[in-house]
Coordinates of all heavy atoms in Angstrom, one line a residue:
M1 N -38.3 2.1 16.1 CA -37.6 3.2 16.7 C -37.8 3.2 18.2 O -38.8 2.7 18.7 CB -38.2 4.5 16.1 CG -37.9 4.7 14.6 SD -36.2 5.0 14.2 CE -36.0 6.7 14.7
I2 N -36.8 3.6 18.9 CA -36.9 3.6 20.3 C -36.2 4.9 20.8 O -35.3 5.4 20.3 CB -36.1 2.4 20.9 CG1 -36.3 2.4 22.4 CG2 -34.7 2.4 20.5 CD1 -35.8 1.1 23.0
R3 N -36.9 5.5 21.8 CA -36.4 6.8 22.3 C -35.7 6.6 23.6 O -36.2 5.9 24.5 CB -37.5 7.8 22.5 CG -37.0 9.2 22.8 CD -38.2 10.1 23.0 NE -38.9 9.8 24.2 CZ -40.0 10.4 24.6 NH1 -40.5 11.4 23.9 NH2 -40.6 10.1 25.7
Y4 N -34.5 7.2 23.7 CA -33.8 7.1 25.0 C -33.6 8.5 25.5 O -33.4 9.4 24.8 CB -32.4 6.5 24.9 CG -32.5 4.9 24.8 CD1 -32.3 4.2 23.7 CD2 -32.8 4.3 26.0 CE1 -32.3 2.9 23.7 CE2 -32.8 2.9 26.0 CZ -32.6 2.2 24.9 OH -32.6 0.8 24.9
R5 N -33.7 8.6 26.8 CA -33.2 9.9 27.5 C -31.7 9.7 27.7 O -31.3 8.8 28.3 CB -34.0 10.1 28.8 CG -33.4 11.2 29.6 CD -34.5 12.0 30.2 NE -35.4 12.7 29.2 CZ -35.8 14.0 29.3 NH1 -35.4 14.7 30.3 NH2 -36.5 14.5 28.4
L6 N -31.0 10.7 27.2 CA -29.6 10.7 27.3 C -29.1 11.8 28.2 O -29.8 12.8 28.4 CB -28.9 10.9 25.9 CG -29.4 9.8 24.9 CD1 -28.7 10.1 23.6 CD2 -29.1 8.4 25.3
R7 N -27.9 11.7 28.8 CA -27.4 12.7 29.6 C -25.9 12.9 29.3 O -25.2 11.9 29.2 CB -27.5 12.3 31.1 CG -27.2 13.5 32.0 CD -27.3 13.0 33.5 NE -28.7 12.7 33.8 CZ -29.6 13.5 34.1 NH1 -29.3 14.8 34.2 NH2 -30.9 13.2 34.4
C8 N -25.5 14.1 29.0 CA -24.1 14.3 28.7 C -23.3 14.5 29.9 O -23.8 14.6 31.0 CB -24.0 15.5 27.8 SG -23.9 17.1 28.6
A9 N -22.0 14.7 29.7 CA -21.0 14.8 30.8 C -21.3 16.1 31.6 O -20.9 16.2 32.8 CB -19.6 14.7 30.3
E10 N -21.9 17.0 31.0 CA -22.2 18.3 31.6 C -23.5 18.3 32.4 O -23.9 19.2 33.0 CB -22.2 19.4 30.6 CG -20.9 19.6 29.9 CD -19.8 20.0 30.8 OE1 -20.0 20.7 31.8 OE2 -18.6 19.5 30.6
G11 N -24.2 17.1 32.2 CA -25.5 17.0 33.0 C -26.7 17.4 32.2 O -27.8 17.4 32.8
H12 N -26.6 17.7 30.9 CA -27.7 18.1 30.1 C -28.5 16.8 29.7 O -27.9 15.9 29.2 CB -27.3 18.8 28.8 CG -26.4 20.0 29.1 ND1 -25.3 20.3 28.5 CD2 -26.6 21.0 30.0 CE1 -24.8 21.4 28.9 NE2 -25.5 21.9 29.9
A13 N -29.8 16.8 29.9 CA -30.6 15.7 29.6 C -31.3 16.0 28.3 O -31.8 17.1 28.1 CB -31.5 15.3 30.7
F14 N -31.4 15.0 27.4 CA -32.2 15.2 26.2 C -32.6 13.9 25.6 O -32.1 12.8 26.0 CB -31.3 16.0 25.1 CG -30.0 15.3 24.8 CD1 -29.9 14.5 23.6 CD2 -28.9 15.4 25.6 CE1 -28.8 13.8 23.3 CE2 -27.7 14.7 25.2 CZ -27.6 14.0 24.1
D15 N -33.6 13.9 24.8 CA -34.1 12.7 24.2 C -33.6 12.5 22.8 O -33.4 13.4 22.1 CB -35.6 12.7 24.1 CG -36.2 12.7 25.5 OD1 -35.6 12.2 26.5 OD2 -37.4 13.2 25.7
H16 N -33.3 11.2 22.4 CA -32.8 11.0 21.1 C -33.5 9.6 20.6 O -33.6 8.7 21.4 CB -31.3 10.9 21.1 CG -30.7 10.8 19.7 ND1 -30.5 12.0 19.0 CD2 -30.3 9.8 19.0 CE1 -30.0 11.6 17.8 NE2 -29.8 10.3 17.8
W17 N -33.8 9.6 19.3 CA -34.4 8.4 18.8 C -33.3 7.5 18.1 O -32.4 8.0 17.5 CB -35.4 8.7 17.7 CG -36.7 9.3 18.3 CD1 -37.0 10.6 18.6 CD2 -37.8 8.5 18.8 NE1 -38.3 10.7 19.1 CE2 -38.8 9.4 19.3 CE3 -38.1 7.1 18.8 CZ2 -40.0 9.0 19.8 CZ3 -39.3 6.7 19.3 CH2 -40.3 7.6 19.8
F18 N -33.4 6.2 18.3 CA -32.5 5.3 17.7 C -33.4 4.2 17.0 O -34.5 4.0 17.3 CB -31.7 4.6 18.8 CG -30.8 5.6 19.5 CD1 -31.2 6.1 20.7 CD2 -29.5 5.9 19.0 CE1 -30.3 7.0 21.4 CE2 -28.7 6.8 19.7 CZ -29.1 7.3 20.9
D19 N -32.7 3.5 16.1 CA -33.4 2.5 15.4 C -33.8 1.4 16.3 O -34.9 0.8 16.3 CB -32.6 1.9 14.3 CG -32.4 2.9 13.1 OD1 -33.2 3.8 13.0 OD2 -31.5 2.7 12.3
N20 N -32.9 1.1 17.2 CA -33.2 0.0 18.2 C -32.1 0.2 19.3 O -31.3 1.0 19.3 CB -33.1 -1.4 17.6 CG -31.8 -1.6 16.8 OD1 -30.7 -1.4 17.3 ND2 -31.9 -1.9 15.5
A21 N -32.2 -0.7 20.3 CA -31.3 -0.6 21.5 C -29.9 -0.8 21.1 O -29.0 -0.2 21.6 CB -31.7 -1.7 22.5
A22 N -29.6 -1.7 20.1 CA -28.3 -2.0 19.7 C -27.7 -0.8 19.0 O -26.5 -0.4 19.2 CB -28.2 -3.2 18.8
A23 N -28.5 -0.1 18.2 CA -28.1 1.1 17.5 C -27.8 2.2 18.5 O -26.8 2.9 18.3 CB -29.1 1.5 16.5
C24 N -28.5 2.2 19.5 CA -28.3 3.2 20.6 C -26.9 3.0 21.2 O -26.1 3.9 21.3 CB -29.3 3.1 21.7 SG -29.0 4.1 23.1
D25 N -26.6 1.7 21.6 CA -25.3 1.4 22.2 C -24.2 1.7 21.2 O -23.1 2.3 21.6 CB -25.3 0.0 22.6 CG -26.2 -0.3 23.8 OD1 -26.5 0.7 24.5 OD2 -26.6 -1.4 24.0
A26 N -24.4 1.4 20.0 CA -23.3 1.6 19.0 C -23.1 3.1 18.7 O -21.9 3.5 18.6 CB -23.7 0.9 17.6
E27 N -24.2 3.8 18.6 CA -24.0 5.3 18.4 C -23.4 6.0 19.5 O -22.5 6.9 19.4 CB -25.3 5.9 18.0 CG -25.8 5.4 16.6 CD -27.0 6.2 16.2 OE1 -27.2 7.4 16.5 OE2 -27.9 5.6 15.5
L28 N -23.7 5.6 20.7 CA -23.1 6.2 21.9 C -21.7 5.8 22.0 O -20.8 6.6 22.4 CB -23.9 5.7 23.2 CG -25.3 6.2 23.3 CD1 -25.9 5.8 24.6 CD2 -25.4 7.7 23.2
A29 N -21.4 4.5 21.7 CA -20.0 4.1 21.8 C -19.1 4.8 20.8 O -17.9 5.0 21.0 CB -19.9 2.6 21.5
S30 N -19.7 5.2 19.6 CA -18.9 5.8 18.6 C -19.0 7.3 18.7 O -18.6 8.1 17.8 CB -19.3 5.3 17.2 OG -20.7 5.6 17.0
A31 N -19.6 7.8 19.8 CA -19.7 9.3 20.0 C -20.4 9.9 18.8 O -20.0 11.0 18.4 CB -18.4 9.9 20.2
A32 N -21.5 9.3 18.4 CA -22.2 9.8 17.2 C -23.4 10.7 17.6 O -24.1 11.2 16.8 CB -22.7 8.7 16.3
V33 N -23.6 10.9 18.9 CA -24.8 11.6 19.4 C -24.3 12.8 20.2 O -24.0 12.6 21.4 CB -25.7 10.7 20.2 CG1 -27.0 11.5 20.6 CG2 -26.1 9.5 19.4
P34 N -24.1 14.0 19.7 CA -23.7 15.1 20.5 C -24.8 15.7 21.3 O -26.0 15.6 20.9 CB -23.2 16.1 19.4 CG -24.1 15.8 18.2 CD -24.3 14.3 18.3
C35 N -24.5 16.2 22.4 CA -25.4 16.9 23.2 C -25.9 18.2 22.5 O -25.1 18.9 22.0 CB -24.8 17.3 24.6 SG -25.8 18.5 25.5
P36 N -27.2 18.4 22.4 CA -27.7 19.6 21.7 C -27.4 20.9 22.4 O -27.5 22.0 21.8 CB -29.2 19.3 21.6 CG -29.5 18.4 22.7 CD -28.3 17.6 22.9
E37 N -27.0 20.8 23.6 CA -26.8 22.1 24.4 C -25.3 22.5 24.3 O -25.0 23.6 24.1 CB -27.2 21.9 25.8 CG -28.8 21.9 25.9 CD -29.2 22.1 27.4 OE1 -28.7 23.0 28.0 OE2 -30.0 21.3 27.9
C38 N -24.4 21.5 24.5 CA -23.0 21.8 24.6 C -22.2 21.1 23.6 O -21.0 21.4 23.4 CB -22.5 21.5 26.0 SG -22.4 19.8 26.4
G39 N -22.8 20.2 22.8 CA -22.1 19.5 21.8 C -21.2 18.4 22.3 O -20.5 17.8 21.4
S40 N -21.2 18.1 23.5 CA -20.4 17.1 24.1 C -20.9 15.7 23.5 O -22.1 15.5 23.4 CB -20.4 17.0 25.6 OG -19.8 15.9 26.1
T41 N -19.9 14.9 23.2 CA -20.3 13.5 22.7 C -20.2 12.5 23.9 O -20.3 11.3 23.6 CB -19.5 13.1 21.5 OG1 -18.2 13.2 21.8 CG2 -19.9 13.9 20.3
A42 N -19.8 13.0 25.0 CA -19.7 12.1 26.2 C -21.1 12.0 26.8 O -21.4 12.5 27.8 CB -18.7 12.7 27.2
V43 N -21.9 11.3 26.1 CA -23.3 11.1 26.6 C -23.6 9.6 26.9 O -22.9 8.7 26.3 CB -24.3 11.6 25.5 CG1 -24.1 13.0 25.2 CG2 -24.2 10.8 24.2
A44 N -24.5 9.4 27.8 CA -24.9 8.1 28.2 C -26.4 8.0 28.4 O -27.0 9.1 28.6 CB -24.1 7.6 29.4
K45 N -26.9 6.8 28.3 CA -28.3 6.7 28.6 C -28.6 7.1 30.1 O -27.9 6.6 31.0 CB -28.7 5.2 28.4 CG -28.9 4.9 26.9 CD -29.4 3.4 26.7 CE -28.2 2.5 26.8 NZ -28.5 1.1 26.4
A46 N -29.6 7.9 30.2 CA -30.0 8.3 31.6 C -31.0 7.2 32.1 O -31.9 6.8 31.3 CB -30.6 9.7 31.6
I47 N -30.9 6.9 33.3 CA -31.9 6.0 33.9 C -33.2 6.8 34.1 O -33.2 7.9 34.7 CB -31.4 5.4 35.2 CG1 -30.1 4.7 35.0 CG2 -32.4 4.5 35.8 CD1 -30.2 3.5 34.0
M48 N -34.3 6.3 33.6 CA -35.5 6.9 33.8 C -35.9 6.9 35.3 O -35.9 5.8 35.9 CB -36.6 6.2 33.1 CG -36.5 6.3 31.6 SD -36.9 7.9 30.9 CE -36.9 7.6 29.2
A49 N -36.0 8.1 35.9 CA -36.3 8.1 37.3 C -37.7 7.6 37.5 O -38.6 8.0 36.8 CB -36.2 9.5 37.8
P50 N -37.9 6.8 38.6 CA -39.2 6.4 38.9 C -40.1 7.6 39.4 O -39.6 8.6 39.9 CB -39.0 5.4 40.0 CG -37.7 5.7 40.6 CD -36.9 6.3 39.5
A51 N -41.3 7.5 39.1 CA -42.2 8.6 39.4 C -42.5 8.6 40.9 O -43.4 8.0 41.4 CB -43.5 8.5 38.6
L52 N -41.7 9.4 41.6 CA -41.9 9.4 43.1 C -43.1 10.3 43.4 O -43.4 11.2 42.8 CB -40.6 10.0 43.7 CG -39.3 9.3 43.4 CD1 -38.1 10.0 44.0 CD2 -39.4 7.9 44.0
G53 N -43.7 9.9 44.5 CA -44.8 10.6 45.0 C -46.1 10.2 44.3 O -47.2 10.8 44.7
K54 N -46.1 9.3 43.3 CA -47.3 8.9 42.7 C -47.6 7.4 43.1 O -46.7 6.7 43.6 CB -47.2 9.0 41.2 CG -47.1 10.4 40.7 CD -47.0 10.5 39.2 CE -46.9 11.9 38.7 NZ -46.8 11.9 37.2
A55 N -48.8 7.0 42.9 CA -49.1 5.6 43.1 C -48.2 4.7 42.2 O -48.1 5.0 41.0 CB -50.5 5.3 42.9
A56 N -47.6 3.7 42.8 CA -46.7 2.9 42.1 C -47.5 2.1 41.0 O -48.5 1.4 41.4 CB -46.0 1.9 43.0
A57 N -47.1 2.2 39.8 CA -47.7 1.4 38.8 C -47.1 0.0 38.8 O -46.0 -0.2 39.2 CB -47.4 2.0 37.4
P58 N -47.9 -1.0 38.5 CA -47.4 -2.3 38.5 C -46.3 -2.5 37.5 O -46.4 -2.1 36.3 CB -48.6 -3.2 38.1 CG -49.5 -2.2 37.4 CD -49.3 -0.9 38.1
A59 N -45.2 -3.1 37.9 CA -44.0 -3.2 37.0 C -44.3 -4.4 36.0 O -44.8 -5.4 36.4 CB -42.8 -3.6 37.9
T60 N -44.0 -4.1 34.8 CA -44.2 -5.1 33.8 C -43.0 -5.2 33.0 O -42.9 -4.8 31.8 CB -45.4 -4.7 32.8 OG1 -45.1 -3.4 32.3 CG2 -46.7 -4.7 33.6
P61 N -42.0 -5.9 33.6 CA -40.7 -6.1 32.8 C -40.9 -7.0 31.6 O -41.7 -7.9 31.7 CB -39.8 -6.7 33.9 CG -40.7 -7.4 34.8 CD -41.9 -6.5 34.9
C62 N -40.2 -6.7 30.6 CA -40.3 -7.4 29.4 C -39.7 -8.8 29.5 O -40.0 -9.7 28.8 CB -39.8 -6.7 28.2 SG -38.0 -6.5 28.2
G63 N -38.7 -8.9 30.4 CA -38.0 -10.2 30.7 C -36.9 -10.5 29.8 O -36.1 -11.4 30.0
R64 N -36.7 -9.8 28.6 CA -35.6 -10.1 27.7 C -34.3 -9.6 28.4 O -34.3 -8.5 28.9 CB -35.8 -9.4 26.4 CG -36.9 -10.1 25.6 CD -37.2 -9.3 24.3 NE -37.8 -8.0 24.7 CZ -38.0 -7.1 23.8 NH1 -37.8 -7.3 22.5 NH2 -38.5 -5.9 24.1
P65 N -33.3 -10.4 28.3 CA -32.0 -10.0 29.0 C -31.5 -8.7 28.7 O -31.3 -7.9 29.6 CB -31.1 -11.1 28.5 CG -31.9 -12.3 28.2 CD -33.2 -11.7 27.7
P66 N -31.3 -8.3 27.4 CA -30.9 -6.9 27.1 C -32.2 -6.0 27.1 O -32.6 -5.6 26.0 CB -30.2 -7.0 25.8 CG -30.9 -8.1 25.1 CD -31.5 -9.0 26.2
C67 N -32.7 -5.8 28.3 CA -34.0 -5.2 28.3 C -33.9 -3.8 27.8 O -33.2 -2.9 28.3 CB -34.5 -5.2 29.8 SG -36.1 -4.4 29.9
A68 N -34.6 -3.5 26.7 CA -34.5 -2.2 26.0 C -35.7 -1.3 26.3 O -35.8 -0.3 25.8 CB -34.4 -2.4 24.5
C69 N -36.6 -1.8 27.2 CA -37.8 -1.1 27.3 C -37.8 -0.1 28.5 O -38.7 0.6 28.8 CB -39.0 -2.0 27.5 SG -39.0 -2.9 29.0
G70 N -36.6 -0.1 29.2 CA -36.5 0.8 30.3 C -37.0 0.3 31.7 O -37.0 1.0 32.7
C71 N -37.5 -0.9 31.6 CA -38.1 -1.5 32.9 C -36.9 -1.9 33.8 O -35.8 -2.1 33.3 CB -39.0 -2.7 32.6 SG -38.1 -4.1 31.9
P72 N -37.2 -2.0 35.1 CA -36.2 -2.5 36.0 C -35.7 -3.9 35.6 O -36.5 -4.8 35.3 CB -36.8 -2.5 37.3 CG -38.0 -1.6 37.2 CD -38.5 -1.8 35.7
A73 N -34.4 -4.1 35.7 CA -33.9 -5.5 35.5 C -34.1 -6.3 36.8 O -33.5 -6.0 37.8 CB -32.5 -5.4 35.1
L74 N -35.0 -7.3 36.7 CA -35.3 -8.0 37.9 C -34.6 -9.3 38.1 O -34.7 -9.9 39.1 CB -36.8 -8.2 37.9 CG -37.7 -7.0 37.9 CD1 -39.2 -7.4 37.8 CD2 -37.4 -6.0 39.0
D75 N -33.9 -9.7 37.0 CA -33.3 -11.0 37.0 C -31.8 -11.0 37.3 O -31.1 -11.9 37.0 CB -33.6 -11.8 35.7 CG -33.1 -11.0 34.5 OD1 -32.6 -9.8 34.7 OD2 -33.0 -11.5 33.4
G76 N -31.3 -9.8 37.8 CA -29.9 -9.7 38.0 C -29.5 -10.5 39.2 O -28.4 -10.6 39.5
Ligands
LIG101 ZN1 -24.4 18.9 27.3

């Protein structure tokens, strides 16, 4: 299971669990995840904002091309 922070077209952010990254993309593509606040299915993965104002933690990217762990893609 993997949790993603999602954001709908109205700007509501919420978390949702998926079986895996591919399931997340598939469910979002098929509008299977409605926003709990407004019901909109126009939702997309929200980029996890870096923790500003705190000491920067060392980045540990997983390195896999379809990086599903939320780390910055460094090999672009
Ligand atoms: Zn919404």
Side-chain angles (χ1 to χ4, degrees):
M1 296 291 284
I2 184 170
R3 189 182 66 182
Y4 278 108
R5 172 140 294 225
L6 306 177
R7 188 180 300 275
C8 83
E10 301 296 326
H12 305 132
F14 58 100
D15 293 333
H16 191 80
W17 286 93
F18 298 94
D19 288 341
N20 52 53
C24 174
D25 290 338
E27 291 188 33
L28 294 183
S30 59
V33 185
C35 170
E37 289 196 48
C38 69
S40 170
T41 53
V43 300
K45 280 180 280 191
I47 302 299
M48 293 289 189
L52 300 176
K54 295 182 180 179
T60 55
C62 68
R64 287 174 295 176
C67 181
C69 69
C71 68
L74 301 179
D75 59 351

